Amino acid sequence: METLRIALLGAGTVGSGFVKLLDEHRGRFRALGLEPALTGILVRDPRKPRPGWVPEGLLTTDVGRVFEEVDVVVELMGGTERSGRLVLDALDQGLPVITANKALLAERWEELKPHAMEGLLYYEASVMAGTPVIEPLSGVLRGNRTLELHGILNGSTNYVIGRMEDGLGFAEALAEAQAKGFVEEDPFLDVGGIDAAHKLTVLARLAVDPDFAWEDVRAATRGIQELTREQIFEAEAEGKRIRLVASLVPNGGRWKAMVRPVKLPANHPLAQAAQARNALLYRGDAVGEVLISGGGAGSAVTASAVVGDLLRMLEGYPGHPPLPEPVPVPDYEPEILEEA
């Protein structure tokens, strides 16, 4: 049986989940004639406490050890600088890369795009964790003209808002989300809307424009850090729920992408996404309305998409392709969502 040599970058929440799932799915790899083996796990601090299933003997700060004779690179370390250098080095060598790093994809796309066009970049886990949206937008939904999309793309803020609906204050709800491993190391990336903005940028490049600018999305982003229980309860009295929603809509002959808290009618499809769940509402000219909903945060949920991408690669499918060129902006009146 041939050995599949995997370099793993990062052993945090998602990285440790990947190690566990990789072992649990070992039989599926063997069915393909492959024995998965980690060549090493690159970390900043090998002494940091980690789950018992993460092999201490593979933890290293030595990049050379991890990259020695590998077949595929799995990047789960986050950030844009060091991770970007390592990912681009691997791609330049012709190695396929599987990543959950939405910040890297959003902010360094110009460098990554040529490799994505070659099919070397797999990134289902970068948006909505294990709930598939990258695959539909880069595949079957391209049989439509995109009219608009709206999504709850950050499970952490959705969890915080859900717990505030239960009566907790913002700080208490955020602390609970952190304890459950739903929040980024820098909480502002979540509560400030940056994480959702990164993800919306990735989706925009798949749906309408392969060169959609991260800076434009960032400039139209507002988070939930100022949200109060009083606002939550006032919305409920109006029969509405507040959610952090990322939207991509036609506006004045161009595409506009924005992230902000909005007040949704209680029966709105996105208002039904509770706790750490995510949802994407897509509207196309042929298919009409499509709702994709599921888990959007957590170790196992995100790691499941990483393992799925690895199996996809081994089955001979290329990575997720961006659009070859921008699509026309439709003459269409999008849904108007009331900002909170």
Side-chain angles (χ1 to χ4, degrees), residues 102 153-161 170 174 177-178 181-199 221-225 244 259 261 278 296-297:
K102 56 274 177 179
L153 304 180
N154 182 272
S156 309
T157 53
N158 214 42
Y159 183 89
V160 169
I161 293 173
F170 175 80
L174 176 59
Q178 289 175 303
F182 291 155
V183 179
E184 298 278 356
E185 189 173 342
D186 177 2
F188 180 73
L189 292 174
D190 288 310
V191 299
I194 308 303
D195 176 79
H198 282 144
K199 294 170 179 175
T221 294
R222 180 166 61 91
I224 67 164
Q225 61 269 45
L244 184 71
V259 176
N278 281 185

Coordinates of all heavy atoms in Angstrom, one line a residue, residues 102 153-161 170 174 177-178 181-199 221-225 244 259 261 278 296-297:
K102 N -9.4 31.5 5.6 CA -10.2 32.5 4.8 C -9.4 33.9 4.8 O -9.5 34.6 3.8 CB -11.5 32.7 5.4 CG -11.6 33.1 6.9 CD -11.6 31.9 7.8 CE -11.6 32.3 9.3 NZ -11.6 31.1 10.1
L153 N -22.3 33.8 8.2 CA -21.0 33.2 7.9 C -20.1 33.0 9.1 O -19.0 32.4 8.9 CB -20.3 33.9 6.7 CG -21.1 34.1 5.5 CD1 -20.2 34.9 4.4 CD2 -21.6 32.8 4.9
N154 N -20.5 33.5 10.2 CA -19.6 33.4 11.4 C -20.4 32.7 12.5 O -21.3 33.4 13.1 CB -19.1 34.8 11.8 CG -18.2 34.7 13.0 OD1 -18.6 34.8 14.1 ND2 -16.9 34.6 12.7
G155 N -20.0 31.5 12.8 CA -20.7 30.8 13.9 C -20.5 31.4 15.2 O -21.4 31.3 16.1
S156 N -19.4 32.0 15.4 CA -19.1 32.6 16.8 C -20.0 33.7 17.1 O -20.6 33.7 18.2 CB -17.6 33.1 16.8 OG -16.8 32.1 16.3
T157 N -20.2 34.7 16.2 CA -21.1 35.8 16.5 C -22.6 35.3 16.6 O -23.4 35.8 17.4 CB -21.0 36.9 15.4 OG1 -21.2 36.3 14.1 CG2 -19.7 37.5 15.5
N158 N -22.9 34.3 15.8 CA -24.3 33.7 15.9 C -24.5 33.1 17.2 O -25.6 33.2 17.8 CB -24.5 32.7 14.7 CG -25.9 32.8 14.2 OD1 -26.5 33.9 14.1 ND2 -26.5 31.6 14.0
Y159 N -23.5 32.4 17.7 CA -23.6 31.8 19.1 C -23.8 32.9 20.1 O -24.6 32.8 21.0 CB -22.3 31.0 19.4 CG -22.4 30.3 20.7 CD1 -23.0 29.0 20.8 CD2 -22.0 30.9 21.9 CE1 -23.1 28.4 22.1 CE2 -22.1 30.3 23.1 CZ -22.6 29.0 23.2 OH -22.7 28.4 24.4
V160 N -22.9 34.0 20.0 CA -23.0 35.1 21.0 C -24.4 35.7 21.0 O -25.0 35.9 22.0 CB -21.9 36.1 20.7 CG1 -22.2 37.4 21.5 CG2 -20.5 35.5 21.0
I161 N -24.9 36.0 19.8 CA -26.2 36.6 19.7 C -27.3 35.7 20.2 O -28.2 36.1 20.9 CB -26.5 37.0 18.2 CG1 -25.6 38.1 17.8 CG2 -28.0 37.5 18.1 CD1 -25.7 38.5 16.3
F170 N -23.3 40.7 26.5 CA -22.4 40.4 25.5 C -21.1 39.8 26.0 O -20.6 38.8 25.4 CB -22.0 41.8 24.7 CG -21.0 41.6 23.7 CD1 -21.3 41.1 22.4 CD2 -19.6 42.0 24.0 CE1 -20.3 41.0 21.5 CE2 -18.6 41.8 23.0 CZ -19.0 41.3 21.7
L174 N -19.8 36.1 25.0 CA -18.5 35.9 24.3 C -17.6 35.0 25.0 O -16.9 34.1 24.4 CB -17.8 37.3 24.1 CG -16.5 37.3 23.4 CD1 -16.5 36.7 22.0 CD2 -15.9 38.7 23.4
A177 N -18.6 31.5 24.4 CA -18.2 31.1 23.0 C -16.7 30.7 23.0 O -16.3 29.8 22.3 CB -18.6 32.1 22.0
Q178 N -15.9 31.5 23.7 CA -14.5 31.3 23.7 C -14.2 29.9 24.4 O -13.3 29.2 24.0 CB -13.8 32.4 24.4 CG -13.7 33.7 23.6 CD -13.1 34.8 24.4 OE1 -13.6 35.2 25.5 NE2 -12.0 35.4 23.9
G181 N -14.5 27.0 22.2 CA -13.6 26.9 21.1 C -14.2 27.5 19.8 O -13.7 27.1 18.7
F182 N -15.2 28.3 19.9 CA -15.9 28.9 18.7 C -15.2 30.2 18.2 O -15.6 30.6 17.1 CB -17.4 29.2 19.0 CG -18.2 27.9 19.2 CD1 -19.4 28.0 19.9 CD2 -17.8 26.7 18.6 CE1 -20.2 26.9 20.1 CE2 -18.6 25.6 18.8 CZ -19.8 25.7 19.6
V183 N -14.4 30.8 19.0 CA -13.9 32.1 18.7 C -12.4 32.1 18.3 O -11.6 31.3 18.8 CB -14.1 33.0 20.0 CG1 -13.5 34.4 19.7 CG2 -15.5 33.1 20.4
E184 N -12.0 33.0 17.4 CA -10.7 33.1 16.9 C -9.8 33.6 18.1 O -10.2 34.1 19.1 CB -10.6 34.2 15.8 CG -11.3 33.8 14.6 CD -10.6 32.8 13.7 OE1 -9.4 32.5 14.0 OE2 -11.2 32.4 12.6
E185 N -8.5 33.3 18.0 CA -7.5 33.8 19.0 C -7.7 35.3 19.3 O -7.6 35.7 20.4 CB -6.1 33.4 18.6 CG -5.1 33.6 19.6 CD -3.7 33.2 19.2 OE1 -3.6 32.4 18.2 OE2 -2.7 33.6 19.9
D186 N -7.9 36.1 18.3 CA -8.2 37.5 18.4 C -9.7 37.6 18.3 O -10.2 37.5 17.2 CB -7.5 38.3 17.4 CG -7.8 39.8 17.4 OD1 -8.6 40.2 18.3 OD2 -7.3 40.5 16.6
P187 N -10.5 37.8 19.4 CA -11.9 37.8 19.3 C -12.5 38.9 18.3 O -13.6 38.7 17.8 CB -12.4 38.1 20.7 CG -11.2 37.7 21.6 CD -10.0 38.0 20.8
F188 N -11.7 40.0 18.1 CA -12.2 41.0 17.2 C -12.4 40.5 15.8 O -13.3 41.0 15.1 CB -11.3 42.2 17.2 CG -11.7 43.3 16.3 CD1 -12.8 44.2 16.7 CD2 -11.1 43.6 15.1 CE1 -13.3 45.2 15.9 CE2 -11.6 44.6 14.3 CZ -12.7 45.4 14.6
L189 N -11.7 39.5 15.4 CA -11.9 39.0 14.1 C -13.3 38.4 13.9 O -13.9 38.5 12.8 CB -10.8 37.9 13.8 CG -9.4 38.3 13.7 CD1 -8.5 37.1 13.5 CD2 -9.2 39.2 12.5
D190 N -13.8 37.9 15.0 CA -15.2 37.4 14.9 C -16.2 38.5 15.2 O -17.0 38.9 14.3 CB -15.4 36.3 16.0 CG -14.7 35.0 15.6 OD1 -14.9 34.6 14.5 OD2 -13.9 34.5 16.4
V191 N -16.1 39.1 16.4 CA -17.2 40.1 16.8 C -17.1 41.4 16.0 O -18.1 42.1 15.8 CB -17.1 40.4 18.3 CG1 -17.4 39.1 19.1 CG2 -15.8 41.1 18.7
G192 N -15.9 41.7 15.4 CA -15.8 42.9 14.6 C -16.2 42.7 13.1 O -16.2 43.6 12.3
G193 N -16.6 41.4 12.8 CA -17.1 41.1 11.5 C -16.1 40.8 10.5 O -16.4 40.5 9.3
I194 N -14.8 40.8 10.9 CA -13.7 40.6 9.9 C -13.7 39.2 9.4 O -13.5 39.0 8.1 CB -12.3 40.9 10.6 CG1 -12.3 42.3 11.3 CG2 -11.2 40.8 9.6 CD1 -12.7 43.4 10.3
D195 N -13.9 38.2 10.2 CA -14.0 36.8 9.7 C -15.1 36.7 8.7 O -14.9 36.1 7.6 CB -14.3 35.9 10.9 CG -14.4 34.5 10.5 OD1 -13.4 33.8 10.3 OD2 -15.6 34.0 10.5
A196 N -16.3 37.2 8.9 CA -17.4 37.1 8.0 C -17.0 37.9 6.7 O -17.4 37.4 5.6 CB -18.7 37.7 8.6
A197 N -16.3 39.0 6.8 CA -15.9 39.7 5.6 C -14.9 39.0 4.8 O -15.0 39.0 3.5 CB -15.3 41.1 6.0
H198 N -14.0 38.3 5.4 CA -13.0 37.4 4.7 C -13.8 36.4 3.9 O -13.5 36.1 2.7 CB -12.1 36.7 5.7 CG -11.0 37.6 6.2 ND1 -10.5 37.5 7.5 CD2 -10.2 38.6 5.6 CE1 -9.5 38.3 7.7 NE2 -9.3 39.0 6.6
K199 N -14.8 35.7 4.6 CA -15.5 34.7 3.9 C -16.4 35.2 2.8 O -16.5 34.5 1.7 CB -16.4 33.9 5.0 CG -15.5 33.2 6.0 CD -16.4 32.7 7.1 CE -15.5 32.0 8.2 NZ -16.3 31.6 9.4
T221 N -17.8 46.8 6.4 CA -18.0 45.8 7.5 C -18.2 46.5 8.8 O -17.5 47.4 9.2 CB -16.8 44.9 7.5 OG1 -16.8 44.1 6.3 CG2 -16.9 43.9 8.7
R222 N -19.2 46.0 9.5 CA -19.5 46.5 10.9 C -19.9 45.3 11.7 O -20.7 44.4 11.3 CB -20.7 47.5 10.9 CG -21.0 48.1 12.2 CD -21.9 49.3 12.1 NE -23.2 49.0 11.4 CZ -24.3 48.7 12.0 NH1 -24.3 48.5 13.4 NH2 -25.4 48.5 11.3
G223 N -19.3 45.1 12.9 CA -19.5 44.0 13.7 C -20.6 44.1 14.8 O -21.4 45.0 14.7
I224 N -20.6 43.2 15.8 CA -21.6 43.2 16.8 C -21.1 43.7 18.2 O -21.9 43.6 19.2 CB -22.2 41.8 17.0 CG1 -21.1 40.8 17.5 CG2 -22.7 41.3 15.6 CD1 -21.7 39.5 18.1
Q225 N -19.9 44.2 18.3 CA -19.3 44.5 19.6 C -20.1 45.6 20.3 O -20.0 45.7 21.5 CB -17.9 44.9 19.4 CG -17.6 46.1 18.6 CD -17.3 45.8 17.2 OE1 -18.1 45.0 16.6 NE2 -16.3 46.3 16.6
L244 N -25.8 38.8 12.4 CA -24.7 39.4 11.6 C -24.8 38.8 10.2 O -24.5 37.6 10.1 CB -23.4 39.2 12.3 CG -22.2 39.9 11.5 CD1 -22.2 41.4 11.7 CD2 -20.9 39.3 12.0
V259 N -21.0 43.6 5.4 CA -21.3 42.8 6.6 C -21.8 43.7 7.7 O -21.1 44.7 7.9 CB -20.0 42.0 7.0 CG1 -20.3 41.3 8.3 CG2 -19.5 41.1 6.0
P261 N -24.9 44.0 11.3 CA -26.0 43.4 12.0 C -27.3 43.9 11.4 O -27.4 45.1 11.1 CB -25.8 43.9 13.4 CG -24.5 44.6 13.5 CD -24.1 45.0 12.1
N278 N -24.5 28.1 10.7 CA -24.4 29.1 9.6 C -25.4 28.8 8.6 O -26.0 27.7 8.5 CB -23.0 29.0 8.9 CG -21.9 29.6 9.7 OD1 -20.7 29.7 9.2 ND2 -22.1 30.1 10.9
G296 N -21.2 25.7 11.5 CA -20.3 26.6 11.0 C -19.1 27.0 11.9 O -18.3 27.9 11.6
A297 N -18.9 26.2 12.9 CA -17.8 26.5 13.8 C -17.5 25.2 14.6 O -18.3 24.3 14.7 CB -18.1 27.6 14.8

